[in-house]
Amino acid sequence: MIHSTDKQQQEQLEDMLKEFKARSKTTVMLETGFYMLVLLLLFAGNFMTLLVMFLYRRMRTIPNMFVASLAVSDLLFGVLLALPLDIPTLVTSQWPFNDLTCQFQGYTATILTVASIHTLVLMAVNRYFRIVKPEKYHRYFTKKKTMMMIVVSWASSMIAPFPYFLRGGKMVFHPYNFVCSPPVNNSAFLGYGLLLYIGFPSCIMFYCYTMIFKTVRRHNYKFQLPGMRFRSVNVQEIKIARTLFVVVVSFNLCWISVLLINLVDTIRRSWVFSREVYVTLHFLIALSSALNPLIYSVLNRNFRECYMKVLSCRYCCCSKRAVVKPKGNASVVHTRREAFALGLRGTRS
């Protein structure tokens, strides 16, 4: 399925499709197997992230509301795009769906990308007020206001592709990275998207984290001076900022190469790189959605403990925590399950 852009691009898309269909069975199996492995990590990690927030009340903090929004975006990428559309395309070595599905894929991918970037910006702004301007934090960041910020960010993400479609633009199937995306001759849309949804948000994130690091450094310096009184910066808040900063860095590392390649293609008005480059870029996009839960588990103790509790099925009355039950002058230690059973026996006797 190839739309008519200009004659040169159409011929190039046809050649790319022939190369895509000519893949060996070994290549098909390796690419599909690796992609499915990344999707498995994506589904397991982001589902567990949302699950621990549902099970444990202490995890429903304001910073974690942004984490949940990012997890929803990553899960939707897997549920709506990667699993039902990308996997069949990799297996069959062609676009097995109709044109409407192609437009849906390109539209949805744009929404989820912009929503993720907006969420990362909100994370940075949240940490900025919590550490740099703590006296104003509770004025702007309550749970109700935070939820409104997330809703507005998703609403604005949904209208991001509208200017392109209103101008009559259409997505085309790119055989090298097996997805539908705008053709490379649409430099106006790419410039608009890079500036408004990548450039401006990146400047905000850079400013916020720069100010955070300066504040932490100043705090550490003055804290070491004898007799110096200085507003304390909560260590836990700094750790949260560090975790979210690593999330931002990993996202940008995965996406910066994608943006650079697209920029070069648009300037050259042609897809100038080999198929392996575009396949790697698409795998990086999927990997960026799977990395976040791993970052939380390594850098955030609360997430790590909750992940372990869920994996070991330790929740509520099934917890292995000890309960001390006095018996005469001695103390008998039971697990919660044993204590629960003893309680039932007492009510029956």
Side-chain angles (χ1 to χ4, degrees):
M1 183 205 69
I2 300 175
H3 295 287
S4 57
T5 50
D6 57 41
K7 186 176 180 180
Q8 183 180 359
Q9 286 192 32
Q10 184 174 350
E11 292 175 353
Q12 186 180 13
L13 287 171
E14 290 174 351
D15 293 339
M16 292 162 65
L17 184 58
K18 290 178 182 178
E19 184 178 349
F20 185 50
K21 290 182 176 181
R23 293 182 305 159
S24 66
K25 290 185 178 179
T26 302
T27 302
V28 172
M29 291 178 61
L30 287 175
E31 290 180 353
T32 306
F34 179 77
Y35 197 59
M36 291 185 69
L37 178 62
V38 173
L39 291 184
L40 179 62
L41 293 175
L42 183 155
F43 285 122
N46 287 288
F47 175 76
M48 280 187 58
T49 299
L50 295 176
L51 182 62
V52 298
M53 293 185 197
F54 175 77
L55 292 178
Y56 302 101
R57 184 179 296 274
R58 67 187 177 93
M59 297 300 292
R60 301 171 201 168
T61 62
I62 289 176
N64 286 352
M65 292 174 70
F66 299 120
V67 170
S69 176
L70 198 59
V72 169
S73 175
D74 292 337
L75 276 178
L76 288 177
F77 168 78
V79 172
L80 298 179
L81 302 180
L83 189 61
L85 301 180
D86 294 351
I87 294 297
T89 303
L90 275 174
V91 171
T92 60
S93 299
Q94 62 181 344
W95 178 255
F97 309 101
N98 57 23
D99 177 68
L100 182 62
T101 307
C102 183
Q103 305 311 308
F104 167 80
Q105 185 189 53
Y107 177 78
T108 306
T110 304
I111 291 175
L112 296 179
T113 301
V114 174
S116 296
I117 294 171
H118 283 180
T119 302
L120 294 174
V121 171
L122 290 174
M123 285 179 173
V125 173
N126 173 268
R127 292 298 87 195
Y128 170 81
F129 277 99
R130 190 68 185 93
I131 294 176
V132 181
K133 304 286 186 181
E135 67 278 0
K136 298 181 180 180
Y137 180 77
H138 293 290
R139 183 192 308 174
Y140 298 114
F141 287 96
T142 63
K143 287 193 174 182
K144 184 177 180 180
K145 290 181 178 179
T146 301
M147 181 58 67
M148 287 299 299
M149 293 178 189
I150 293 172
V151 170
V152 170
S153 71
W154 274 89
S156 63
S157 303
M158 291 180 183
I159 65 175
F162 274 8
Y164 179 70
F165 285 106
L166 290 176
R167 292 177 62 253
K170 299 196 75 174
M171 303 292 176
V172 298
F173 175 60
H174 191 314
Y176 276 8
N177 61 12
F178 52 94
V179 296
C180 293
S181 57
V184 291
N185 64 345
N186 205 310
S187 56
F189 175 72
L190 180 63
Y192 152 82
L194 286 175
L195 179 63
L196 188 60
Y197 296 111
I198 305 295
F200 183 61
S202 297
C203 291
I204 296 176
M205 288 186 282
F206 177 78
Y207 173 79
C208 289
Y209 283 111
T210 299
M211 296 305 296
I212 289 170
F213 292 142
K214 285 184 178 180
T215 302
V216 172
R217 181 182 297 178
R218 186 165 62 248
H219 165 266
N220 291 338
Y221 172 74
K222 291 189 176 182
F223 184 76
Q224 295 173 1
L225 295 178
M228 176 65 73
R229 299 183 65 182
F230 187 69
R231 182 191 65 214
S232 176
V233 177
N234 191 300
V235 174
Q236 183 62 26
E237 300 295 344
I238 295 175
K239 289 182 178 179
I240 293 173
R242 180 189 63 180
T243 301
L244 299 182
F245 175 72
V246 174
V247 170
V248 170
V249 170
S250 67
F251 182 89
N252 286 327
L253 287 177
C254 289
W255 275 90
I256 190 66
S257 54
V258 178
L259 297 174
L260 290 176
I261 295 297
N262 288 337
L263 186 61
V264 172
D265 287 346
T266 302
I267 294 173
R268 299 285 299 273
R269 299 179 68 86
S270 174
W271 293 283
V272 298
F273 298 94
S274 66
R275 179 182 173 273
E276 290 73 19
V277 171
Y278 293 103
V279 171
T280 302
L281 293 182
H282 193 76
F283 285 168
L284 283 176
I285 293 174
L287 190 61
S288 70
S289 296
L291 280 178
N292 293 338
L294 298 177
I295 295 173
Y296 305 147
S297 64
V298 172
L299 297 181
N300 190 291
R301 181 178 179 181
N302 290 334
F303 269 107
R304 182 166 61 249
E305 290 177 351
C306 290
Y307 285 153
M308 294 304 297
K309 286 181 181 180
V310 170
L311 289 175
S312 59
C313 299
R314 291 186 301 169
Y315 181 69
C316 294
C317 65
C318 296
S319 174
K320 299 293 185 182
R321 291 181 181 177
V323 176
V324 179
K325 179 180 172 76
K327 187 176 182 180
N329 294 326
S331 295
V332 180
V333 179
H334 301 288
T335 65
R336 248 185 216 181
R337 184 176 296 173
E338 292 170 343
F340 180 68
L342 290 172
L344 284 180
R345 291 175 194 169
T347 57
R348 290 174 182 171
S349 58

